Amino acid sequence: LDKVVGHYAVMPLSETFVLYAPYIDSALAQRDMPHELRYLPVALSGMKANSQQDDRCGVWMLPPLEGLHYGLRIDETTDERYDIKAATQVALDYLNDLYQQYGDWWYCLLAYTNSPTALQHTLLRHGTETALWDYTKQDLLPNTQVIVNFIACAYLGEQGLLHFTAKDTTPSITKAPLMAELEPIDTLRTLGDTTNTTTAEPAKDTS
């Protein structure tokens, strides 16, 4: 984890993040979702609008079926997953729905980057008591690096240590080893407490 923290500490962030962070923050607040999720597109794509990997693309690296399901236009001429504002709305709606299903934000991230089906199969094989770090250390799912990337980005971002321009100098990260010493983090609230931030969790739908 320290290596990933160091990577993001010296990697200049795209100006896209600076431009769209207020929009993402507002969309998160409207849904009463954790503030730290603003760093998820940084962890997924480096906040690069033209990002593409396999069938996922855009800053939120949305898969096509979910994009279509939540109302994005994806066809031969237009792919709204590259539209940052439209993709933000869809990605957060999808994540919020995953939270209603799992009740745990870390499971949401794993389901988001792998698929709910893949996560469900893993839970059936290894049980629900599997520690978060086991998913990354044992490669229990194909895409688990997002957990490490996200923690690093959220930690640095909340400490004000993420770079926003290539002209910045490398900051002194005196608190980075703290992350490596943490017990397995089970909820975003733990991350929020660690970084001295307030983490709100959405109320579950009781209707």
Side-chain angles (χ1 to χ4, degrees):
L1 182 55
D2 280 343
K3 291 181 180 178
V4 179
V5 169
H7 166 74
Y8 282 106
V10 299
M11 182 189 76
L13 281 179
S14 167
E15 292 181 1
T16 306
F17 181 80
V18 181
L19 181 63
Y20 285 96
Y23 182 85
I24 296 173
D25 290 344
S26 176
L28 287 168
Q30 289 172 4
R31 295 166 175 80
D32 197 21
M33 294 173 70
H35 167 78
E36 292 90 345
L37 289 174
R38 74 199 302 254
Y39 302 107
L40 182 57
V42 181
L44 291 168
S45 66
M47 201 65 188
K48 297 177 181 177
N50 62 346
S51 294
Q52 182 173 3
Q53 184 175 3
D54 299 327
D55 63 347
R56 296 170 177 259
C57 67
V59 298
W60 289 96
M61 298 301 283
L62 279 163
L65 291 180
E66 279 67 22
L68 290 168
H69 175 74
Y70 286 89
L72 291 181
R73 180 181 174 184
I74 302 174
D75 55 34
E76 293 181 355
T77 60
T78 302
D79 192 335
E80 289 186 325
R81 291 177 295 172
Y82 291 108
D83 182 321
I84 296 178
K85 289 187 176 181
T88 294
Q89 296 294 331
V90 166
L92 297 188
D93 283 346
Y94 181 34
L95 284 165
N96 214 12
D97 285 347
L98 289 173
Y99 182 78
Q100 302 305 321
Q101 179 178 350
Y102 295 106
D104 183 290
W105 286 109
W106 299 115
Y107 280 166
C108 292
L109 297 190
L110 290 172
Y112 182 95
T113 54
N114 291 276
S115 81
T117 300
L119 177 59
Q120 190 63 33
H121 287 168
T122 301
L123 291 173
L124 290 174
R125 287 196 305 270
H126 300 280
T128 58
E129 300 302 318
T130 303
L132 176 66
W133 295 134
D134 288 338
Y135 282 94
T136 59
K137 292 179 180 179
Q138 300 178 24
D139 293 325
L140 299 184
L141 287 164
N143 300 313
T144 59
Q145 185 62 32
V146 66
I147 296 294
V148 180
N149 291 354
F150 173 69
I151 291 174
C153 289
Y155 176 75
L156 289 171
E158 295 305 302
Q159 296 294 328
L161 297 175
L162 280 176
H163 285 180
F164 295 104
T165 69
K167 296 179 181 179
D168 291 338
T169 59
T170 304
S172 175
I173 310 175
T174 58
K175 296 183 180 180
L178 172 64
M179 297 300 293
E181 296 170 3
L182 289 177
E183 293 297 320
I185 300 174
D186 296 321
T187 66
L188 275 186
R189 187 174 298 281
T190 306
L191 177 59
D193 292 343
T194 300
T195 57
N196 297 318
T197 61
T198 300
T199 306
E201 294 185 358
K204 292 187 178 180
D205 185 3
T206 57
S207 60

